[in-house]
């Protein structure tokens, strides 16, 4: 058994110290050591995107990163995207409004990815939205509702156009 | 926890990384962006006693243009290459190949050195390196040496890197003049590894004759391939009468593509000819626009 390593990771603004085995992924660290089960694990080999988190602001697969690699870094999970009063983030609000989810398993990964995507591309074209969503898999919705949600979130965060033109 | 246990090392200098690899020999594995290696470990297709993580080696990052060459540190992330104005201007083929790699979340972690050292024959960057005659800078405890691209790729997932070698940088020659560049690939889904693909660079003289061309093919063999017969067929030819479909077939005829569950060899050869022709057409059009 390889020796465990001490890490300090800032998760959603809060410093977390833990002893981790080097083979523990950041996703397992978030779920097991931090109790942040919003980060979901689907495939655990980088395909499905359910475990997407922000690492120093960049959207990454938490299952393809060992927790030791995040030592000293800042991580934002889906829990960290919501306002402290329990309200939904603009992206979450748009997913609810546009039926961007059914079972909800993939949703945290989508919400984190879309939040990063819209930060970098606030006015995406439909083609850019589709490409931006291509790293996350949903097995229920058929994606159309998700695409509508991203359009809605983009227009809500930009200069509020009528939601009726979105759907 | 899915991967087998390992001891973790995070050196901050290339020399220290090479020393660790020298100490542990084939019990050690270099970790770059981890976007291919970590899945392999999670599926236990491979296990290593020691993992040497290069992510804290700052000297392995950066993009630098000197005269006719752009030097890219091996740990430079694909997302940084995608956004870099020097790459866009000086090595357009590399810039154009980058969005085909995985998805933006993958490119935020994936590195150019990791992609090259992993040597997946269906990956884009190795084909770009072979097409452009890039030079690989390899560091081990004895010093640094240069390996040409056509000697770097040995077979599927196999390179000229020895157990204590660190791929430290890649140097790309800059093409000047009336040049055009294009990437074409066929994959099951966007972002997947390609069934077959081509990267093409074309330089035209003032009379629209092919002064120079470079065709790299991927997914067509155990390494990325250079379509030398097709390049020879185009040399000096006027683009006006050039039968690009025929050039594509010449390129594919030089390959012995794999037969697997994703596609048959016959399919790959047939579609490989078409993607070469398409990429050449777009590269020529770009060169003509100047």
């Amino acid at each position: 058994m390889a020796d465990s390593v001490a890490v300090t990771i800032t998760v959603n603004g809060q410093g977390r110290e833990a002893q981790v085995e080097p083979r523990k992924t950041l996703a397992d660290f978030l779920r097991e050591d931090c109790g942040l089960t919003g980060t979901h694990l689907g495939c655990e080999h980088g395909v499905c995107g359910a475990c997407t988190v922000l690492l120093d602001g960049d959207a990454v697969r938490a299952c393809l990163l060992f927790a030791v690699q995040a030592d000293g870094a800042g991580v934002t999970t889906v829990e960290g995207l919501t306002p402290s009063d329990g309200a939904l983030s603009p992206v979450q609000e748009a997913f609810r409004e546009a039926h961007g989810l059914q079972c909800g398993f993939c949703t945290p990964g989508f919400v984190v990815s879309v939040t990063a995507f819209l930060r970098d591309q606030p006015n995406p074209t439909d083609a850019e939205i589709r490409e931006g969503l291509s790293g996350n898999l949903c097995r229920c919705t058929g994606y159309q509702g998700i695409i509508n949600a991203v359009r809605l979130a983009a227009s809500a965060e930009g200069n509020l156009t009528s939601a009726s033109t979105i759907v | 926890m899915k991967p087998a246990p390992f001891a973790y090392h995070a050196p901050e200098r290339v020399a220290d990384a090479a020393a660790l690899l020298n100490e542990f020999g084939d019990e050690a594995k270099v970790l770059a962006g981890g976007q291919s290696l970590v899945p392999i470990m999670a599926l236990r297709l491979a296990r290593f006693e020691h993992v040497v993580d290069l992510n804290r080696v700052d000297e392995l990052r950066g993009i630098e243009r000197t005269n006719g060459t752009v030097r890219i540190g091996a740990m430079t992330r694909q997302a940084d290459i995608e956004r870099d104005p020097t790459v866009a201007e000086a090595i357009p083929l590399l810039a154009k190949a980058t969005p085909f790699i995985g998805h933006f979340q993958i490119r935020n972690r994936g590195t150019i050195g990791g992609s090259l050292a992993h040597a997946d024959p269906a990956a884009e960057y190795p084909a770009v390196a072979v097409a452009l005659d890039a030079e690989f800078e390899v560091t081990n405890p004895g010093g640094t040496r240069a390996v040409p691209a056509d000697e770097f790729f040995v077979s599927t997932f196999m390179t000229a890197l020895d157990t204590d070698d660190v791929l430290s940088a890649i140097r790309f020659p800059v093409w000047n003049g009336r040049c055009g560049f294009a990437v074409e690939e066929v994959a099951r889904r966007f972002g997947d590894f390609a069934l077959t693909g081509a990267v093409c660079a074309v330089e035209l003289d003032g009379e629209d004759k092919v002064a120079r061309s470079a065709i790299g093919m991927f997914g067509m063999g155990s390494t990325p391939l250079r379509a030398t017969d097709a390049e020879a067929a185009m040399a000096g030819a006027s683009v006006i009468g050039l039968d690009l479909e025929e050039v594509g077939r010449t390129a594919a005829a030089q390959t012995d593509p794999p037969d697997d569950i994703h596609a048959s060899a016959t399919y790959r050869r047939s579609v490989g000819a078409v993607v070469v022709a398409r990429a050449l057409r777009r590269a020529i059009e770009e060169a003509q626009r100047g």
Side-chain angles (χ1 to χ4, degrees):
Chain A
M1 184 68 78
D3 294 338
S4 64
V5 179
V7 295
T8 305
I9 302 172
T10 304
V11 181
N12 300 332
Q14 191 187 337
R16 303 266 189 167
E17 290 179 24
Q19 290 283 330
V20 295
E21 255 195 87
R23 63 173 168 155
K24 179 172 256 187
T25 64
L26 179 62
D28 283 339
F29 168 80
L30 292 169
R31 292 177 58 84
E32 294 167 10
D33 296 64
C34 303
L36 293 168
T37 52
T39 299
H40 287 179
L41 283 166
C43 71
E44 294 188 75
H45 62 274
V47 174
C48 76
C51 68
T52 306
V53 299
L54 303 181
L55 177 74
D56 290 332
D58 292 329
V60 300
R61 309 280 206 231
C63 73
L64 296 187
L65 199 69
F66 296 113
V68 284
Q69 297 186 274
D71 185 29
V75 174
T76 305
T77 68
V78 69
E79 291 93 340
L81 295 177
T82 54
S84 53
D85 61 3
L88 299 179
S89 78
V91 172
Q92 288 172 317
E93 190 64 53
F95 268 67
R96 182 170 72 176
E97 194 62 32
H99 306 287
L101 70 152
Q102 285 182 30
C103 88
F105 186 86
C106 68
T107 311
F110 270 100
V111 167
V112 174
S113 288
V114 169
T115 302
F117 171 74
L118 289 178
R119 176 199 62 203
D120 297 340
Q121 285 173 271
N123 296 300
T125 64
D126 273 10
E128 285 166 345
I129 290 173
R130 286 169 185 274
E131 192 180 329
L133 292 173
S134 66
N136 291 80
L137 299 182
C138 170
R139 302 289 75 175
C140 311
T141 65
Y143 299 102
Q144 198 52 53
I146 298 175
I147 291 164
N148 292 341
V150 179
R151 288 189 196 125
L152 185 63
S155 66
E157 283 180 15
N159 226 345
L160 230 76
T161 55
S162 164
S164 64
T165 63
I166 301 299
V167 183
Chain B
M1 283 177 282
K2 300 187 81 187
F6 57 84
Y8 176 76
H9 308 270
E12 295 183 1
R13 302 197 53 83
V14 183
D16 297 338
L20 285 163
L21 294 174
N22 185 258
E23 183 184 345
F24 300 122
D26 57 13
E27 292 188 342
K29 183 69 180 175
V30 172
L31 173 60
Q35 305 301 285
S36 294
L37 180 61
V38 177
I40 288 168
M41 293 170 71
L43 297 166
R44 299 219 184 182
L45 296 169
R47 54 193 300 170
F48 310 99
E49 295 295 317
H50 298 272
V51 169
V52 178
D53 183 359
L54 298 183
N55 281 281
R56 294 185 196 267
V57 186
D58 288 339
E59 59 185 317
L60 286 177
R61 261 190 283 277
I63 298 166
E64 209 181 345
R65 182 171 182 173
T66 35
N67 300 324
T69 307
V70 175
R71 180 183 183 276
I72 304 184
M75 287 299 290
T76 307
R77 302 207 190 274
Q78 292 150 358
D80 293 325
I81 290 170
E82 195 173 3
R83 289 190 284 259
D84 188 80
T86 301
V87 173
E89 202 254 312
I91 338 170
L93 194 60
L94 190 70
K96 289 179 181 191
T98 305
F100 286 96
I101 303 170
H103 313 284
F104 78 90
Q105 301 89 337
I106 300 293
R107 299 192 292 274
N108 278 338
R109 288 299 294 174
T111 65
I112 183 167
S115 174
L116 295 169
H118 184 55
D120 190 313
E124 292 83 4
Y125 276 176
V128 173
V130 166
L132 296 181
D133 290 320
E135 208 170 60
F136 291 60
E137 210 177 279
V138 177
T139 303
N140 67 20
T144 297
R145 67 183 191 280
V147 179
D150 62 354
E151 290 172 22
F152 185 81
F153 299 101
V154 175
S155 187
T156 305
F157 304 134
M158 285 176 64
T159 67
L161 292 172
D162 215 336
T163 49
D164 60 353
D165 282 336
V166 176
L167 173 58
S168 39
I170 305 93
R171 287 195 291 263
F172 291 91
V174 178
W175 283 39
N176 292 307
R178 293 182 71 208
C179 295
F181 306 88
V183 179
E184 280 280 344
E185 69 173 52
V186 172
R188 291 269 167 179
R189 289 160 294 262
F190 187 81
D192 279 11
F193 278 104
L195 298 175
T196 174
V199 298
C200 293
V202 176
E203 182 185 344
L204 301 181
D205 67 13
E207 293 163 349
D208 274 3
K209 288 188 178 133
V210 177
R212 171 158 74 139
S213 70
I215 303 168
M217 292 180 290
F218 50 108
M220 295 293 280
S222 62
T223 63
L225 299 170
R226 190 72 182 265
T228 48
D229 290 352
E231 291 171 17
M234 285 177 43
S238 168
V239 298
I240 293 161
L242 205 54
D243 182 348
L244 294 177
E245 277 67 33
E246 182 58 32
V247 175
R249 283 192 290 274
T250 303
Q254 211 184 343
T255 66
D256 183 16
D259 238 336
D260 59 32
I261 56 163
H262 304 294
S264 67
T266 311
Y267 178 85
R268 281 197 168 89
R269 206 175 287 113
S270 163
V271 177
V274 174
V275 296
V276 167
R278 283 183 189 163
L280 283 173
R281 179 165 294 113
R282 285 178 39 220
I284 289 168
E285 284 167 3
E286 187 178 279
Q288 286 175 316
R289 283 196 302 271

